[in-house]
Amino acid sequence: MTSNEFDRMLRSRLEGAVEPAPDVWEGIEAGLSRRRHAVIFRRFSVAAAAVAAGLALALLVLPDQEAGRQTRVPATVRAQAETPAIEASVEAPETVSDVAPIARQIASFTKNQVTAQAVLPKQETVTPAAPVTQETPAAQEEQQASEIQEALPVPAAEAGDGLLSESEIPAGYWESLEDEDSRAGRQRHTSQISILSNITAVSSEGSLVNKVLPQYAPSQTGGRATSQVEPVSESPKFYSPVSLGLQVRIPLVSRLSVSTGLSYSYLVSQYDMLVEKVRYDGAFNQLHYLGVPLYLSWDFIQTRHLGVYASAGGEVEKCVSQRYVYGSNTLHEKVGGVQWSANVGLGIEYWFVPRAGIYFDPSLVYFFDNAQPLSIRTQQPLQARFEVGFRFKI
C-alpha cells in the first residue's frame, strides 16, 4: 500500500469525526493515575509479604538450632545443690585484685599515714564438708577488711621511727590542732588598711559647741615669739578641720592590735591681724599638717560582721605649709616645732563583705601647747573628733 492510499483511507475514516470535550481527557488522566497507584501498592504489598515470610521462617528455625544446646547452671547454684560425697583437699585461688579496693584500704588508714598495699593472690586449702552457704555482700566486705587488717605490717611507731600509733594518740589531739589552725588563719588575715576622714567640732565665740566643751584661756599668738603677723581679733572664727588618712592595723595578740599610718589635716581660721603694723580685718590663715599616729586597740566583740573596740594613743604632726591671705596679698611663713596630741575613744566596725567594711570611731583628742600658730587647736585644746572610713583586710 502506497502512502497516498493510506492517506485516503485515513481521511475517509476520520470524515465526520468530532473533537472530544475537555472533560473526556481529564477522565482519561484520572484513570491512568489510579492505575499507576494500584501498581505501586501491589508492588509494596508483595515486598512486605516477603519480609514477613522471612521473619516467620527465622523464628521457626532459630529455636530449633538452640534447642540442642545445654543450659548452663551457675557455679554457686551447683555448689549449693550438690552434697559432697567425699572429703578432698581442693586448692582454689581466691580472686583478689592486685590493689585492694578503697573499702579495704580505709581499714588501714591512720592519722599519721595513708597506706595502700598490694594484695597478692592467696591460696587456701578448702575442705568442703557441708553445703556452701551464700554470704551477703556486707558480711563479705567486713570479713575481708578484718583479714586485711590482720595482714597489715606493724605500725611505724613499733618499727622505731618515733611515730605514735592510733591507740597512743590522746583524745582530742586532732581537734586541738584544727582549732589552732583556725585561730592562726584568723590572725593571719586580721591586718587592716583604713581610709579615714575626721570631723572635728567647730569652736567659736558664742557657739553651742564652745559652751559645752571645757573652756581654756585662748592664745591669740599661739605661743610663737617671732612672726610678721599679730592676731588682734577678739572673736576669731574657726572652720571645721578636714582630715584624711591611711592607717595599717596589725594584731599583736588575740584581741590587742597596734595601728599606725599617715594623716593629713587642713585648718582654716579667720580673724583680724596686723601685718607689719598694718591692720587687716577678716584675714585668713591656712595650715597644712602631716602626722603619724600610733594607737593601741582592744577588741571587745569579734564576730564575722561586727566588731567593737576601744583605742588609746597619740599623734605627732608637722606643719608643712602656712599661708596668710589678707586683702589681695598672701604671705607664707614657716612653722617650727611639732604638734603633739593624745587620743582615747571607742569604735565600731561592720564588715559587709569578708574583707571590706566601714567603721565609726568617736574620740576625745587633746592638743598640747607646742608654740603653733593660732588655730582651733590653740583656742580649744580638748576636742571631740568623729572618725569615719573604710577598712580592708589584708
Side-chain angles (χ1 to χ4, degrees):
M1 179 182 297
T2 63
S3 59
N4 294 332
E5 294 178 354
F6 178 77
D7 291 341
R8 286 194 300 269
M9 184 180 63
L10 183 60
R11 188 178 299 111
S12 61
R13 295 288 182 91
L14 294 177
E15 287 181 358
V18 180
E19 182 179 0
D23 55 351
V24 175
W25 297 111
E26 293 178 359
I28 294 173
E29 290 179 358
L32 293 176
S33 177
R34 284 195 300 271
R35 184 175 302 172
R36 183 168 56 253
H37 291 170
V39 171
I40 294 173
F41 178 75
R42 185 164 52 254
R43 292 178 180 178
F44 177 78
S45 300
V46 171
V51 172
L55 292 176
L57 181 60
L59 293 176
L60 294 176
V61 173
L62 290 179
D64 295 337
Q65 296 178 355
E66 297 290 338
R69 297 184 181 180
Q70 183 179 0
T71 304
R72 296 183 179 179
V73 180
T76 55
V77 178
R78 292 202 309 270
Q80 294 179 3
E82 296 176 358
T83 302
I86 58 173
E87 297 182 356
S89 297
V90 181
E91 294 183 357
E94 182 182 359
T95 304
V96 181
S97 58
D98 291 341
V99 178
I102 297 300
R104 301 182 185 179
Q105 296 182 23
I106 292 176
S108 61
F109 287 174
T110 64
K111 293 289 185 177
N112 296 326
Q113 61 183 0
V114 178
T115 306
Q117 296 192 356
V119 179
L120 299 177
K122 181 180 179 182
Q123 295 183 353
E124 297 180 355
T125 301
V126 181
T127 303
V132 180
T133 58
Q134 185 176 4
E135 297 181 355
T136 60
Q140 292 178 358
E141 288 291 336
E142 184 177 357
Q143 181 180 0
Q144 293 174 358
S146 61
E147 293 176 357
I148 294 172
Q149 183 67 24
E150 294 175 358
L152 288 176
V154 180
E158 300 180 9
D161 59 355
L163 300 177
L164 296 177
S165 63
E166 183 67 19
S167 59
E168 295 176 345
I169 297 177
Y173 176 76
W174 301 110
E175 290 75 8
S176 63
L177 288 181
E178 293 177 358
D179 294 340
E180 291 179 1
D181 292 340
S182 60
R183 288 194 298 269
R186 288 195 297 268
Q187 292 178 0
R188 285 195 300 268
H189 299 292
T190 51
S191 299
Q192 302 170 4
I193 293 180
S194 302
I195 302 175
L196 58 94
S197 174
N198 293 329
I199 303 174
T200 305
V202 177
S203 174
S204 60
E205 287 291 334
S207 67
L208 178 62
V209 176
N210 185 64
K211 294 178 181 178
V212 173
L213 293 177
Q215 299 298 307
Y216 298 89
S219 173
Q220 293 291 328
T221 61
R224 294 192 301 163
T226 60
S227 176
Q228 300 180 23
V229 178
E230 181 183 355
V232 295
S233 177
E234 297 181 356
S235 58
K237 181 179 180 181
F238 305 104
Y239 293 88
S240 296
V242 177
S243 299
L244 299 173
L246 183 66
Q247 292 182 3
V248 178
R249 185 178 180 185
I250 303 173
L252 299 178
V253 292
S254 177
R255 292 181 179 271
L256 183 63
S257 303
V258 61
S259 300
T260 186
L262 182 66
S263 65
Y264 163 78
S265 299
Y266 175 62
L267 287 75
V268 179
S269 305
Q270 185 180 15
Y271 46 83
D272 301 337
M273 63 181 64
L274 294 176
V275 181
E276 296 180 351
K277 306 303 180 180
V278 178
R279 183 185 177 95
Y280 294 93
D281 295 334
F284 290 91
N285 180 22
Q286 301 172 351
L287 301 172
H288 300 266
Y289 281 90
L290 288 178
V292 177
L294 183 64
Y295 305 113
L296 289 176
S297 302
W298 179 264
D299 296 321
F300 294 104
I301 300 176
Q302 287 181 326
T303 64
R304 182 179 179 182
H305 295 288
L306 184 66
V308 179
Y309 58 90
S311 62
E315 185 174 5
V316 56
E317 295 177 273
K318 174 65 178 177
C319 183
V320 295
S321 176
Q322 177 184 217
R323 186 178 70 163
Y324 292 99
V325 179
Y326 51 96
S328 59
N329 303 314
T330 59
L331 174 64
H332 292 269
E333 281 190 347
K334 292 183 179 181
V335 179
V338 293
Q339 175 69 67
W340 292 89
S341 62
N343 178 299
V344 62
L346 291 172
I348 183 171
E349 57 188 4
Y350 177 78
W351 302 95
F352 49 86
V353 294
R355 294 185 178 272
I358 58 176
Y359 74 99
F360 175 62
D361 191 354
S363 59
L364 288 177
V365 185
Y366 182 81
F367 294 94
F368 297 95
D369 187 4
N370 299 124
Q372 296 297 299
L374 177 63
S375 67
I376 188 175
R377 295 177 174 179
T378 60
Q379 182 77 4
Q380 187 168 310
L382 183 62
Q383 299 178 9
R385 185 168 64 185
F386 304 94
E387 181 177 310
V388 294
F390 296 92
R391 280 181 177 162
F392 305 91
K393 291 183 179 180
I394 57 176

